[in-house]
Amino acid sequence: MLVLEQVDAHYGKSHVLHGVSIEVRAGEVVGLLGRNGVGKTTTLKAIMGMARRSAGRITFEGRDLQGVPPHGLAGLGIAWVPEERRIFRLLTVLENLRTGLDRSGITPPRREALLEKVYAYFPILRERRNQPGGTLSGGEQQMLAIARAMMLEPKIILLDEPTEGLMPRMVAQIQEIVHALHRDGVAILLVEQNVPLTLDAAERVYIMEKGAVRHHASSAELRADQRVIHEYLGV
Amino acid sequence: MDQVLVQTLHGLVNGMVLAMVASGLTLIFGIMDIVNFAHGDLLMLGAFVGASVLGMTGNYWLALLAASIAIAALGAILQITTLRPLIGRDPLTTILATFGLSLVMQKYALWQWGPSVRRISEPVPGDFTLFHIQYPWYRIATAVLAGLILAGLWLFLKYGKYGIWIRATTQDRVMAQAMGIPVPLVYTAVFAIGSAMAAASGVLFGPFAGVTQTMGFDFTLRAFIVVVVGGMGNLGGSILASIFVSLLESYAAIVVSPAQAVIVSFVVLVLTMLFRPTGLFVPTPK
């Protein structure tokens, strides 16, 4: 469904990605592991059209994303949950969700159903719905970022380090929502540093180093043979 | 004492008109990070269009509406043709571009309508007696109408779908795009709304002092002052600052001549820049 072929990307003046090839099939959860600064986030930004691409092709459901404007990706079914969460801090929780809900072709009952769905997953967001997003705790902001992406009814979510800096209880909740999205048939490209969580959630894992994919295996293989993990991640 | 009350009323009325001008400027600054030096000239063109429509139809309210719509369309065209291509460049290029637009619009007005002052007659006739002076009802009506327009703008920004798009884009353009908000269109719409607000202020203010092709710069300057004093890009702050500065000027006019009283706003500007550069009416940033 989402295919990156030999992608080279630049961030500012630095050449960050070197021939990255990744594929995510419909409904599949794929992990992207690697240490800090190896280009995981840039890979997601390249998909979102935010990093300058000098070579390679990115296609979604067979369509080249080259000519698609940045605001056109949501309509195709690609949602982004950035590492920094990027909550609209002065907008209330509900208004944050509305940025994804106020689109054409969505009926009022469908809107209600979507809101009810995320409120069921994250009851705290219902409680805080009239509170500015900036006043939420880090974990709550992460939930809001994921909930906001879900408002787009995406086919794939690009999830960037969702558990970074969260306490264990929150991590468990995020893990649960990843499973729930997977059950609903939403594909996920999961960027993480948390190896156990990634191996648990993803079917396949790509491991990156220095801006390139070094290893690609199923989670089962990696669980059975931890040497690769040691080699590239040092854990 | 009487004089203080009269000047308070005067300051409030001027403050409301200034708030309308400044709200357009601050909205554009907030979302696009550009200071639009052509803002006052959009106001001036709006006043001329209003005066012309009034001359043809005799209907002031129609003139107000027509000027707002015409200048909104002009603003949208200007944004698409001159400012959109400059997005992402050095802000200085944008400032120079709006400065250029300002000159073009002034010369156009001179060519089209000539150098003489146009009158816009007051749509609400009559005066009322306030202590020793006759105060025109029209000034009160202007302040009320400006207040209603600003309230409408606020409601639109607070609850409207497109209002939320505008606020989301103001806070995080990249994330707004990722949520599917068509940011280039939002930019153009905001510029059009700001232009319409300027044009409406021009028609509202027209009966006070007449319409000339050089009236714009003064408004740009005054609006710029209150936008800085109120906190760049902060709508509520700009409105409060407009009223605050206008009241100060009014009170100063009791002691010195009105022409000298204008100095007060510059003093406020300098003091704000020195001691509270983020604006008077915003919480201290952490």
Side-chain angles (χ1 to χ4, degrees):
Chain A
M1 179 168 64
L2 177 70
V3 183
L4 283 76
E5 291 168 80
Q6 296 295 324
V7 171
D8 274 36
H10 303 253
Y11 211 72
K13 278 189 179 152
S14 47
H15 188 170
V16 184
L17 297 187
H18 305 270
V20 169
S21 297
I22 285 174
E23 185 184 0
V24 183
R25 293 187 275 266
E28 191 183 28
V29 178
V30 172
L32 193 54
L33 285 169
R35 294 178 204 215
N36 271 331
V38 296
K40 305 188 299 293
T41 295
T42 306
T43 303
L44 297 192
K45 287 191 170 168
I47 299 168
M48 294 304 293
M50 294 164 194
R52 190 164 53 85
R53 182 149 42 103
S54 59
R57 243 160 69 91
I58 301 178
T59 56
F60 184 70
E61 295 185 318
R63 177 177 179 164
D64 196 328
L65 295 184
Q66 185 77 64
V68 180
H71 60 265
L73 296 168
L76 294 180
I78 305 175
W80 179 51
V81 179
E83 192 180 1
E84 326 84 292
R85 288 143 200 173
R86 298 184 92 140
I87 295 303
F88 300 114
R89 303 181 66 81
L90 301 175
L91 266 58
T92 65
V93 167
L94 184 58
E95 286 168 348
N96 265 282
L97 296 175
R98 274 186 67 182
T99 59
L101 272 180
D102 290 343
R103 53 197 154 92
S104 53
I106 183 168
T107 58
R110 186 85 202 115
R111 289 171 62 107
E112 280 309 308
L114 275 169
L115 276 177
E116 282 308 316
K117 190 170 158 188
V118 298
Y119 285 157
Y121 283 132
F122 306 119
I124 191 78
L125 294 184
R126 186 204 298 274
E127 249 172 72
R128 302 216 189 283
R129 64 184 180 279
N130 292 321
Q131 209 169 303
T135 64
L136 301 185
S137 74
E140 290 164 359
Q141 289 194 9
Q142 186 62 61
M143 289 177 194
L144 178 55
I146 295 174
R148 184 176 59 179
M150 287 167 68
M151 294 295 110
L152 295 169
E153 300 183 90
K155 294 171 185 157
I156 185 169
I157 297 182
L158 313 177
L159 201 49
D160 199 349
E161 304 217 9
T163 65
E164 192 193 15
L166 298 189
M167 47 185 178
R169 188 169 53 80
M170 294 281 191
V171 173
Q173 221 172 337
I174 301 290
Q175 194 162 8
E176 210 174 295
I177 192 80
V178 170
H179 282 301
L181 286 167
H182 185 37
R183 277 198 303 277
D184 287 351
V186 180
I188 295 175
L189 180 54
L190 175 66
V191 165
E192 259 301 341
Q193 307 233 36
N194 182 333
V195 176
L197 181 138
T198 309
L199 294 185
D200 167 68
E203 286 128 277
R204 290 185 296 118
V205 172
Y206 292 88
I207 298 179
M208 287 184 78
E209 194 185 53
K210 290 182 187 151
V213 172
R214 298 286 180 203
H215 198 82
H216 171 213
S218 74
S219 298
E221 282 172 59
L222 289 174
R223 269 195 300 267
D225 179 6
Q226 298 268 332
R227 271 179 313 179
V228 179
I229 303 275
H230 277 288
E231 186 182 339
Y232 291 108
L233 301 164
V235 289
Chain B
M1 191 59 208
D2 301 357
Q3 217 178 357
V4 171
L5 276 175
V6 170
Q7 288 303 98
T8 304
L9 187 63
H10 212 65
L12 283 175
V13 170
N14 286 339
M16 290 312 285
V17 175
L18 186 56
M20 258 186 75
V21 187
S23 63
L25 194 66
T26 203
L27 209 57
I28 291 169
F29 178 83
I31 201 163
M32 288 178 247
D33 278 330
I34 59 162
V35 175
N36 176 20
F37 277 100
H39 199 67
D41 299 290
L42 289 164
L43 177 150
M44 176 270 298
L45 282 187
F48 270 115
V49 172
S52 300
V53 174
L54 184 63
M56 281 185 284
T57 64
N59 186 330
Y60 177 87
W61 308 109
L62 185 68
L64 180 64
L65 193 68
S68 307
I69 293 170
I71 301 304
L74 176 68
I77 293 168
L78 290 179
Q79 198 275 337
I80 292 169
T81 52
T82 41
L83 300 180
R84 186 180 284 180
L86 297 177
I87 288 174
R89 300 259 198 101
D90 187 333
L92 187 63
T93 57
T94 321
I95 290 173
L96 287 174
T98 63
F99 195 67
L101 286 177
S102 156
L103 292 176
V104 171
M105 283 192 269
Q106 273 180 39
K107 297 309 165 197
Y108 173 77
L110 185 63
W111 171 59
Q112 179 73 31
W113 289 290
S116 58
V117 178
R118 288 278 183 119
R119 305 291 320 171
I120 294 183
S121 53
E122 300 178 359
V124 181
D127 302 326
F128 63 98
T129 310
L130 187 70
F131 304 111
H132 53 95
I133 64 152
Q134 295 288 309
Y135 206 82
W137 276 116
Y138 174 66
R139 283 184 172 260
I140 305 291
T142 298
V144 171
L145 194 60
L148 286 177
I149 292 173
L150 285 171
L153 178 70
W154 187 83
L155 286 175
F156 162 75
L157 287 174
K158 179 77 189 136
Y159 297 107
K161 164 183 168 181
Y162 299 115
I164 291 179
W165 282 13
I166 289 171
R167 282 154 60 214
T169 306
T170 301
Q171 283 171 50
D172 189 337
R173 181 176 54 82
V174 171
M175 193 64 225
Q177 266 176 337
M179 291 307 293
I181 296 172
V183 167
L185 208 65
V186 171
Y187 280 180
T188 305
V190 166
F191 208 85
I193 292 169
S195 304
M197 297 285 288
S201 329
V203 180
L204 280 178
F205 193 77
F208 289 13
V211 181
T212 66
Q213 32 100 16
T214 50
M215 73 191 282
F217 181 71
D218 190 45
F219 275 102
T220 304
L221 193 62
R222 290 167 55 82
F224 181 66
I225 290 173
V226 297
V227 165
V228 172
V229 170
M232 302 289 268
N234 177 339
L235 183 62
S238 297
I239 293 171
L240 284 177
S242 300
I243 295 168
F244 175 67
V245 167
S246 299
L247 278 176
L248 278 185
E249 279 186 19
S250 272
Y251 294 139
I254 299 174
V255 192
V256 296
S257 78
Q260 290 168 329
V262 179
I263 294 168
V264 171
S265 51
F266 293 99
V267 173
V268 172
L269 175 70
V270 170
L271 290 179
T272 306
M273 293 305 277
L274 278 177
F275 297 108
R276 251 188 101 102
T278 52
L280 280 190
F281 300 101
V282 288
T284 311
K286 292 178 191 98

